[in-house]
Amino acid sequence: MLHVVNTIYYLKKLMLTLEKLLSESHAETSFAAGVQRVLDCSLFAARLLAKDALILDDLLENHAKTYLTADMQDFLNAAKIIDEVSLKKALRQLRQRVILRLMYRDLNGLADLVEVMQTTTSLAEIAIQSAVKFNSEWLHVDKDVPCSFVVVGMGKLGGAELNVSSDVDLIFAFDTDKNWSEDLSEQDFYNQLGKKVIAALNEVTEDGFVFRVDMRLRPFGNEGVLVPNLDALEDYYQNNGREWERYAWIKGRVITGSQLGVDKHLKPFVFRKYLDYGAINSMRELKLQIHRDVNIKGKHDDIKLGRGGIREIEFIAQVFQLIRGGQDASLQIKSTLQVLKLLKNKGLLSEKTVSELTQAYVFLRNLEHRLMYVDDAQTQDLPKTDEAKARIAKAMNYEGWPAFLAQLNLHRKHVQAHFDATFNEQAQPENLSATSATAPWFDAVWQGTLTNVQATGLEPPNASLQALSNAGYSDASQTLQQLQMLRNSSRYQRLPELSRQRFDTLMPLVIKQASLETNADAALLRTINLLENICRRASYLALLAEFPQALHLVIQLCAASPWLAQYLAAHPILLDELLDTQNLYAAPDFAAMKQTLTQKMAELAGDSEAQMNAMRHFKHAAIMRFAAQDLIVKAGAGKLPLETLSDYLTALADIILQVSLPTIWQGLSFKHSAEPQFAVIGYGKLGSKELGYVSDLDIIFLYDDTNENASEIYSRFAQRISSWFNTLTSAGLLYETDLQLRPDGNSGLLVSSVVAFREYQLHKAWAWEHQALTRARFVAGDASIGKAFEQIRIEVLTQTRDVQKLKTEVINMREKMHLSQKSGAQSFEAGMFDIKHSVGGIIDIEFLVQYLVLIHAHQYPQLIKNIGNIALLKRLGALQMIDLDLAEKTAIAYREYRRMQHTLKLQGATHMRVEMGAVSEHENAVKALWNQVFAD
């Protein structure tokens, strides 16, 4: 009752003061209307204005301006702060002016949400910094020993998203100084300092408070030391840190002290080095706990903690940060709105999802502030009385409560739907009820407990065998044995309890899904091998348990290719690529991919090992996407055509070479210029854009630099490039490179000048080197050198040649290769055809095309263009240099040979051989063309 009487008194006094002020200052009517709107929406504002006439003067003069940090500092500088009392008074008076101006600007449409949050955050920062500075100087006797007090802002303070009437969640720490010499111990000094800082902000005086201070997030909560040292802080989180503390520390930001020191101690705890999908379940459990508290306390109208509220938006943003922040440092940012925008840009959330979440966040945070404006209370509860509802509806610019509530419910509905989708709330995969209802024996077979006669009509032990056979497993006995061996294996038995639970969740799903594949036994065995390889990483098990669609895709890929199953096992981080099926099946944007890789290399500048691993991850991820398109028939689209796949793989290699050169060059201590005058030339399958999944790169290096040390510098550069590509790191191999096609082969220099290369090609090169030149192209580096190379290539290829001499050299080289192959370790088996090396195979086709280009290019420059063997065969036929029908049949043979090679490699074959009968038609076509071209 007294509160109401005081408010009425303040309002009457205010109206008299305002009327007098306006008449004296001739202020614009709009300002008066603006003040009236603030009074209609905030009893707290009425009390402030009525209590202090000067605050209205300040508002009148400055209401059109944002309250900047510099303005806050000027106010404190002008205040006479001589003791704790005057410090507290100055900070509280500053807060009154800042909050009043914010209310005026916000409620009258002069400030947006970002300004409100940033201004309130700046107020908290300057208040904390001023309190630390004053009290540390007042307590600190020995000025030669620096004060290393650290204040970390958590929650919305850390994210620069502070509420106008919020707690500030703080954690204090200090960095131990061995030179500390005061009588008071460091620990006691910093504890005292911490208490005084809290009092300066939190204590309620006649001027109110600055910010309520919450210290419960510190190690061991209220039972813990108020100000631990940084080493103790690190020790706590390493040994006792819980998942919810990782979540809290995402927004941890140093307000005073060393950010580097805190990052060093805390980042490894918050952001795992691997993709941490276990965070999903941890945050789901945290949210469930919040829901229980909401239900117990009846706080369903809490717009922060209730369903579809602010906390759910924050959880959506922060679960991606916890999962990926250790791998992608760009996600280690604090602001919720910025994180959402970044997730959209990275394709991790759809544009529609981010738009709806952003709109909801702005709406809910604006509503939160208006609830707090009413009486400067920390509340997120919707009002209960009609009068209070009308006040909030007006503050939110709605004509009445029903219209406002309809919009609020729409936003909450959107948030709840996106939250449930992100956290798989509708169908948590770790609940096996759906699987068990369809076929209860899947779980029982894995657990070894199938005794239900009704399931199979048989008594054990034959029940499991019959169940597997009925499901589609052709060798049920072998399959059951593999399952039993896995369950009894030491690797499975030694798994931590949570990992074993997840494994037990996955296996019934794996047995069921693998049974749907045409090669069910192989699909299951390969998937089991993959799971065995990744099971020690709980995060990967969590990923597959959380996203059953990813598990299904893994099984499909394992069924399609043992090579790809092994590839996944070697690089399990690629499982993450299977989650975004929209991008997984989309045509690659190579320009965007190059930009992404370039940016990643820039972020990791100075750490060559991290750059090498990041580049390998980039390559592996791209290959996984290509493989999914290659092997999985998606509704409405067939598998990826072979030529398209080769184009993709070649473009990927081009990007990696193009980004590698400047990245490696910048890390060299011996470089003599900002940019290298250096180029990479691609030969073989790289040059002809016919790369496969495991192709190596045939390359040579050219330079054009007048520096006297150029040869030595670029030789060392080339060695570094070779090492960069061929070194086996924790992320695997980038590419194997083959440099044998350089001038003089392995006995020649690692790099050649453009001049020396031209001289060699015109006067010293063998015929087979000119053959190789037909497939060569500039790939990366200095474009002017690439242009010079192409001119040399044209000059060499358009020479008039002695046809008989060239024919003899080509035939001799082909026979030499054939004899070498027959006598080598890969000699031909009876009845088998080696797709590449046998007579009538790939090498014969390539030799034919290369020979024809070399003898006719001087007359037909259209043959010089590097368009691939199939297109060149058709062009040669059209020009009537060879029989058109044979040209077409040989082109078909070449395509089919490459398809067979590709299929065999995906099936894990070490030799590219098929039965003679499978290729006799193609073999005969190639032989016929060979005999026609080399008739005599």
Side-chain angles (χ1 to χ4, degrees):
M1 185 66 182
L2 180 60
H3 179 69
V4 175
V5 172
N6 285 340
T7 301
I8 294 172
Y9 168 76
Y10 283 136
L11 284 171
K12 288 181 178 178
K13 183 177 178 182
L14 170 63
M15 296 314 295
L16 291 173
T17 304
L18 182 58
E19 183 180 340
K20 180 175 183 295
L21 181 62
L22 293 177
S23 64
E24 291 175 353
S25 64
H26 305 290
E28 295 181 7
T29 308
S30 60
F31 175 70
V35 173
Q36 186 60 59
R37 176 169 170 77
V38 173
L39 296 176
D40 290 343
C41 298
S42 172
L43 301 175
F44 171 58
R47 292 197 297 274
L48 282 180
L49 287 165
K51 191 175 181 181
D52 185 355
L54 293 178
I55 205 171
L56 185 58
D57 291 338
D58 177 75
L59 184 61
L60 176 60
E61 183 178 350
N62 298 302
H63 67 276
K65 302 176 186 176
T66 300
Y67 218 128
L68 302 175
T69 303
D71 301 328
M72 300 178 201
Q73 190 61 60
D74 289 343
F75 180 88
L76 293 177
N77 291 341
K80 296 179 180 179
I81 300 176
I82 56 173
D83 54 20
E84 288 184 81
V85 174
S86 56
L87 171 68
K88 292 174 184 176
K89 188 173 191 66
L91 291 176
R92 283 151 182 76
Q93 289 178 343
L94 172 63
R95 186 215 181 221
Q96 292 169 1
R97 281 158 174 74
V98 172
I99 296 300
L100 182 62
R101 194 190 300 181
L102 266 184
M103 282 194 284
Y104 182 94
R105 289 178 57 75
D106 187 12
L107 291 168
N108 288 288
L110 299 176
D112 61 6
L113 174 64
V114 173
E115 180 183 325
V116 175
M117 295 189 300
Q118 183 56 63
T119 302
T120 310
T121 300
S122 296
L123 172 64
E125 289 171 352
I126 200 166
I128 292 167
Q129 290 161 3
S130 299
V132 170
K133 184 175 185 297
F134 175 85
N135 285 295
S136 63
E137 290 177 353
W138 186 75
L139 285 171
H140 213 11
V141 177
D142 186 352
K143 307 303 180 188
D144 294 329
V145 178
C147 175
S148 61
F149 190 60
V150 178
V151 179
V152 180
M154 306 290 282
K156 288 185 167 61
L157 172 58
E161 303 164 330
L162 205 55
N163 292 327
V164 292
S165 186
S166 174
D167 285 357
V168 286
D169 294 298
L170 303 179
I171 292 178
F172 297 153
F174 69 93
D175 199 358
T176 302
D177 189 338
K178 63 182 180 181
N179 295 319
W180 187 269
S181 59
E182 296 188 21
D183 293 338
L184 198 63
S185 73
E186 270 190 299
Q187 185 66 69
D188 289 340
F189 166 78
Y190 286 115
N191 281 343
Q192 285 192 25
L193 177 55
K195 290 175 182 177
K196 288 190 174 295
V197 169
I198 293 170
L201 303 172
N202 188 77
E203 188 176 297
V204 179
T205 71
E206 60 180 353
D207 297 300
F209 63 95
V210 189
F211 287 98
R212 306 171 191 89
V213 177
D214 190 335
M215 299 296 300
R216 289 176 295 177
L217 290 179
R218 71 182 187 268
F220 301 110
N222 288 337
E223 303 299 318
V225 176
L226 183 64
V227 190
N229 64 51
L230 285 174
D231 291 334
L233 203 67
E234 179 183 29
D235 182 71
Y236 169 80
Y237 289 113
Q238 281 187 349
N239 298 306
N240 303 98
R242 290 158 289 180
E243 284 299 309
W244 69 262
E245 289 175 298
R246 288 183 63 207
Y247 157 74
W249 266 98
I250 288 177
K251 289 187 180 293
R253 179 172 62 90
V254 171
I255 308 301
T256 68
S258 168
Q259 180 72 54
L260 282 175
V262 172
D263 286 348
K264 174 186 172 184
H265 288 79
L266 272 299
K267 267 194 177 181
F269 166 69
V270 183
F271 298 109
R272 305 293 196 241
K273 289 183 178 180
Y274 50 86
L275 292 169
D276 184 15
Y277 279 94
I280 295 178
N281 197 51
S282 298
M283 293 190 74
R284 183 191 291 123
E285 290 176 354
L286 180 57
K287 182 59 181 172
L288 287 173
Q289 182 180 334
I290 293 172
H291 286 172
R292 286 193 290 270
D293 291 343
V294 166
N295 290 333
I296 291 171
K297 298 175 182 177
K299 294 175 70 67
H300 299 285
D301 283 337
D302 188 309
I303 62 165
K304 177 181 178 182
L305 301 179
R307 289 306 326 260
I310 295 166
R311 184 53 55 83
E312 289 192 351
I313 301 174
E314 293 172 339
F315 272 34
I316 292 171
Q318 288 164 348
V319 74
F320 284 99
Q321 291 182 280
L322 284 178
I323 292 170
R324 300 173 181 274
Q327 287 279 320
D328 185 351
S330 68
L331 283 168
Q332 296 177 13
I333 55 179
K334 312 297 181 184
S335 163
T336 300
L337 290 176
Q338 290 178 20
V339 173
L340 289 174
K341 183 178 179 181
L342 192 57
L343 293 175
K344 180 190 72 174
N345 293 341
K346 289 179 177 291
L348 296 171
L349 287 177
S350 72
E351 186 171 351
K352 179 176 183 289
T353 298
V354 171
S355 175
E356 290 180 349
L357 289 174
T358 300
Q359 292 175 38
Y361 184 81
V362 172
F363 183 93
L364 292 168
R365 291 301 307 276
N366 281 332
L367 172 58
E368 183 181 41
H369 288 146
R370 280 146 182 77
L371 292 170
M372 293 177 175
Y373 287 156
V374 174
D375 215 6
D376 197 22
Q378 187 188 14
T379 180
Q380 285 92 10
D381 287 333
L382 293 175
K384 301 294 189 293
T385 67
D386 291 343
E387 179 185 1
K389 289 178 179 179
R391 181 185 291 114
I392 293 302
K394 180 175 183 178
M396 291 292 290
N397 296 315
Y398 286 86
E399 291 185 2
W401 184 257
F404 157 77
L405 191 60
Q407 186 61 57
L408 170 63
N409 287 338
L410 179 62
H411 284 306
R412 295 171 101 178
K413 178 182 176 182
H414 287 158
V415 172
Q416 183 172 342
H418 293 309
F419 179 89
D420 290 346
T422 301
F423 288 89
N424 297 322
E425 286 287 298
Q426 297 303 322
Q428 292 181 28
E430 298 197 52
N431 181 347
L432 282 177
S433 59
T435 304
S436 301
T438 344
W441 62 266
F442 285 119
D443 186 41
V445 167
W446 165 243
Q447 298 289 348
T449 57
L450 185 58
T451 58
N452 186 352
V453 177
Q454 285 74 30
T456 62
L458 295 172
E459 295 285 350
N462 294 324
S464 292
L465 290 174
Q466 187 62 54
L468 288 169
S469 180
N470 291 346
Y473 289 97
S474 58
D475 190 348
S477 177
Q478 176 68 17
T479 297
L480 182 61
Q481 184 180 353
Q482 290 291 336
L483 291 171
Q484 291 170 341
M485 286 173 60
L486 173 60
R487 188 166 178 81
N488 294 325
S489 69
S490 59
R491 181 171 290 188
Y492 169 79
Q493 296 291 339
R494 292 175 182 173
L495 286 176
E497 181 61 29
L498 180 58
S499 294
R500 193 160 61 251
Q501 288 175 8
R502 285 180 175 143
F503 203 99
D504 289 341
T505 296
L506 288 172
M507 281 309 302
L509 297 172
V510 170
I511 298 169
K512 176 185 177 183
Q513 290 295 338
S515 72
L516 303 177
E517 300 296 327
T518 54
N519 56 341
D521 301 84
L524 180 62
L525 180 58
R526 293 169 193 168
T527 307
I528 285 174
N529 289 337
L530 171 63
L531 292 177
E532 279 190 292
N533 275 283
I534 68 172
C535 67
R536 292 194 181 279
R537 278 287 177 85
S539 178
Y540 295 131
L541 294 179
L543 183 156
L544 295 174
E546 292 288 350
F547 299 98
Q549 74 275 16
L551 176 65
H552 184 203
L553 190 50
V554 164
I555 294 169
Q556 285 183 292
L557 292 171
C558 288
S561 168
W563 174 82
L564 192 56
Q566 292 170 1
Y567 198 77
L568 272 171
H571 311 291
I573 194 173
L574 298 179
L575 294 172
D576 179 61
E577 297 296 320
L578 305 180
L579 298 182
D580 183 4
T581 52
Q582 183 175 358
N583 285 329
L584 186 67
Y585 296 114
D589 182 342
F590 289 107
M593 289 171 65
K594 183 177 179 180
Q595 184 179 4
T596 298
L597 183 59
T598 301
Q599 182 178 343
K600 188 67 175 179
M601 293 299 101
E603 291 172 0
L604 299 173
D607 188 343
S608 59
E609 183 180 356
Q611 288 177 320
M612 291 170 73
N613 283 332
M615 192 165 279
R616 283 156 173 74
H617 288 315
F618 175 86
K619 179 208 171 185
H620 299 328
I623 285 181
M624 176 53 59
R625 292 194 296 272
F626 301 161
Q629 295 180 41
D630 181 23
L631 296 170
I632 305 300
V633 179
K634 188 171 175 282
K639 294 183 180 180
L640 202 62
L642 179 63
E643 287 90 340
T644 304
L645 175 65
S646 289
D647 286 344
Y648 285 2
L649 292 169
T650 304
L652 174 64
D654 287 358
I655 285 174
I656 289 174
L657 281 163
Q658 289 161 9
V659 176
S660 294
L661 261 60
T663 300
I664 298 169
W665 182 258
Q666 291 306 316
L668 300 180
S669 60
F670 52 82
K671 63 179 180 291
H672 65 297
S673 60
E675 302 290 337
Q677 293 169 268
F678 180 93
V680 176
I681 307 301
Y683 278 76
K685 286 185 169 58
L686 174 63
S688 58
K689 299 184 179 180
E690 296 175 339
L691 286 181
Y693 285 120
V694 293
S695 298
D696 58 7
L697 303 184
D698 291 301
I699 55 177
I700 69 166
F701 304 122
L702 299 180
Y703 71 91
D704 188 14
D705 193 328
T706 57
N707 185 283
E708 60 181 354
N709 297 316
S711 178
E712 180 185 351
I713 291 170
Y714 290 122
S715 290
R716 294 173 67 186
F717 182 32
Q719 289 171 349
R720 193 68 60 89
I721 293 169
S722 181
S723 174
W724 181 281
F725 276 69
N726 291 286
T727 298
L728 187 63
T729 74
S730 60
L733 190 72
L734 192 54
Y735 287 99
E736 288 187 11
T737 58
D738 190 337
L739 308 177
Q740 294 182 81
L741 288 171
R742 67 186 187 269
D744 293 316
N746 288 336
S747 62
L749 296 173
L750 199 57
V751 297
S752 297
S753 70
V754 171
V755 173
F757 180 76
R758 178 179 180 276
E759 176 68 17
Y760 179 85
Q761 289 293 337
L762 289 174
H763 303 294
K764 300 178 182 179
W766 296 80
W768 66 265
E769 291 177 289
H770 287 177
Q771 287 177 245
L773 203 59
T774 64
R775 307 173 71 185
R777 65 186 176 89
F778 165 70
V779 173
D782 190 320
S784 65
I785 298 178
K787 186 176 180 181
F789 163 77
E790 185 59 22
Q791 290 171 346
I792 295 169
R793 177 177 174 273
I794 292 171
E795 183 180 5
V796 171
L797 295 183
T798 54
Q799 292 180 103
T800 302
R801 288 175 166 80
D802 181 329
V803 175
Q804 192 58 46
K805 180 183 177 184
L806 179 62
K807 185 179 293 187
T808 300
E809 289 177 329
V810 170
I811 291 173
N812 288 341
M813 176 56 71
R814 180 66 188 102
E815 289 181 350
K816 186 184 293 185
M817 290 178 65
H818 188 65
L819 290 171
S820 173
Q821 198 69 25
K822 286 183 72 174
S823 63
Q826 298 182 18
S827 57
F828 304 132
E829 302 168 32
M832 299 299 289
F833 181 87
D834 189 295
I835 295 169
K836 181 176 181 180
H837 296 286
S838 288
V839 174
I842 283 177
I843 289 181
D844 281 357
I845 298 173
E846 292 174 346
F847 269 49
L848 277 165
V849 173
Q850 292 161 8
Y851 166 76
L852 291 166
V853 169
L854 290 176
I855 64 172
H856 293 296
H858 69 284
Q859 287 181 296
Y860 300 95
Q862 59 264 51
L863 295 176
I864 298 169
K865 192 172 182 182
N866 190 348
I867 56 176
N869 289 304
I870 292 174
L872 281 170
L873 281 164
K874 293 181 177 180
R875 185 167 289 183
L876 287 162
L879 291 169
Q880 298 183 342
M881 295 170 191
I882 54 176
D883 181 82
L884 184 60
D885 182 55
L886 276 180
E888 183 64 34
K889 288 179 178 178
T890 303
I892 292 170
Y894 188 73
R895 179 184 288 112
E896 185 62 16
Y897 286 158
R898 288 189 58 216
R899 187 196 65 77
M900 288 178 173
Q901 270 189 328
H902 179 70
T903 301
L904 287 168
K905 285 180 179 177
L906 286 176
Q907 294 309 312
T910 55
H911 302 311
M912 300 295 104
R913 295 170 190 162
V914 295
E915 292 184 3
M916 285 282 191
V919 294
S920 57
E921 183 180 350
H922 302 310
E923 177 191 5
N924 290 335
V926 177
K927 285 180 177 179
L929 182 57
W930 182 278
N931 290 333
Q932 183 187 90
V933 172
F934 296 106
D936 55 345

